[in-house]
């Protein structure tokens, strides 16, 4: 009976985490739509890994797909940004991670501690990762203990590319917004 309760709590925590993530996507996606005077459409297809939402303008004839990611670790421009290369299955094998399977044109990278939102060109991020890999200088992170990771985060462990903040911002020709630029109340956002 205790084991079933433990599984239930993990599932409950996971669904709570997913709900928070969806609310953040709504919040950020809406703020970006206001900024760009655009319409917003969330991915309701069966393949949610392709993109999270679309921003588009019928009047100005443009559309862009966005994949949103949140970073709760990066605290300064000297830190690294993390891009998920692979996700580890329960049996230790790995499958493509978010950066490798997304079809989104832009990664909307929310840096909570810096109160920044980066709009990054996905292809340029992938190219930068490939360049670092080919030169043998790509830094990666893989958790040492997968069971501890699952217990703490209630998600599958990942292998991430660690990329310097400044390198990413320059290479991706990104737009950088402070929460205030998008009229995002950081107290409310951090309260999710």
């Amino acid at each position: 009976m205790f084991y079933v309760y433990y599984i239930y709590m993990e599932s409950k925590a996971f669904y709570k985490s997913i709900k928070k993530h969806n609310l953040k996507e709504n919040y950020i996606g809406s703020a970006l739509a206001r900024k760009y005077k655009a319409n917003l459409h969330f991915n309701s297809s069966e393949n949610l890994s392709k993109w999270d939402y679309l921003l588009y303008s019928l009047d100005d004839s443009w559309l862009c797909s966005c994949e949103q990611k949140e970073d709760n670790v990066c605290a300064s421009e000297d830190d690294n940004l993390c891009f998920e290369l692979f996700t580890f299955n329960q049996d230790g094998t790995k499958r493509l991670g978010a950066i490798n399977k997304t079809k989104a044109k832009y990664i909307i990278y929310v840096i909570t501690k810096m109160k920044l939102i980066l709009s990054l060109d996905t292809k340029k991020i992938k190219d930068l990762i490939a360049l670092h890999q080919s030169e043998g200088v790509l830094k990666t992170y893989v958790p040492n203990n997968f069971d501890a990771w699952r217990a703490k985060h209630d998600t599958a462990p990942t292998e991430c590319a660690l990329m310097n903040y400044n390198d990413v911002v320059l290479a991706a020709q990104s737009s950088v917004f402070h929460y205030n630029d998008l009229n995002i109340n950081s107290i409310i956002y951090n309260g999710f």
Side-chain angles (χ1 to χ4, degrees):
M1 183 69 174
F2 178 77
Y3 181 74
V4 171
Y5 182 72
Y6 178 73
I7 296 293
Y8 171 75
M9 290 306 292
E10 280 189 348
S11 296
K12 187 176 178 182
F14 177 75
Y15 288 119
K16 186 177 179 183
S17 173
I18 291 296
K19 185 177 179 179
K20 283 184 178 183
H21 182 74
N22 287 340
L23 286 171
K24 290 175 185 179
E25 284 179 0
N26 280 295
Y27 200 62
I28 299 298
S30 296
L32 289 168
R34 281 191 305 274
K35 173 74 175 173
Y36 291 112
K37 296 181 175 116
N39 295 305
L40 174 66
H41 175 75
F42 291 96
N43 186 350
S44 57
S45 73
E46 291 184 16
N47 193 346
L48 296 174
S49 66
K50 289 186 177 180
W51 46 271
D52 290 326
Y53 49 86
L54 300 172
L55 295 173
Y56 65 96
S57 172
L58 295 175
D59 294 334
D60 297 327
S61 301
W62 63 266
L63 174 133
C64 68
S65 52
C66 303
E67 176 75 27
Q68 186 168 308
K69 181 196 182 342
E70 185 171 10
D71 186 320
N72 292 307
V73 177
C74 183
S76 79
E77 292 179 4
D78 296 327
D79 285 341
N80 290 317
L81 302 181
C82 178
F83 296 94
E84 181 185 311
L85 299 171
F86 300 99
T87 300
F88 290 93
N89 299 313
Q90 191 71 29
D91 64 2
T93 60
K94 55 186 178 179
R95 63 186 186 273
L96 293 179
I99 191 69
N100 287 320
K101 65 183 175 182
T102 188
K103 303 298 182 206
K105 180 172 175 124
Y106 292 99
I107 296 172
I108 306 303
Y109 199 103
V110 181
I111 307 175
T112 307
K113 288 185 178 179
M114 294 174 65
K115 298 179 181 169
L116 293 178
I117 298 169
L118 310 178
S119 176
L120 307 170
D121 183 306
T122 304
K123 182 182 179 332
K124 291 182 180 176
I125 296 300
K126 289 179 179 183
D127 290 347
L128 183 63
I129 290 170
L131 177 65
H132 283 218
Q133 233 170 359
S134 70
E135 293 178 354
V137 296
L138 181 66
K139 296 179 195 170
T140 60
Y141 172 78
V142 177
N144 293 329
N145 184 327
F146 286 6
D147 291 332
W149 177 272
R150 283 187 187 93
K152 181 177 179 183
H153 300 284
D154 199 19
T155 61
T158 60
E159 179 180 345
C160 293
L162 301 175
M163 308 295 291
N164 176 269
Y165 171 93
N166 288 312
D167 291 347
V168 167
V169 169
L170 289 173
Q173 298 173 343
S174 58
S175 298
V176 179
F177 303 105
H178 189 275
Y179 284 8
N180 293 337
D181 298 332
L182 297 176
N183 202 21
I184 294 174
N185 183 330
S186 62
I187 296 170
I188 292 173
Y189 186 73
N190 290 331
F192 280 118

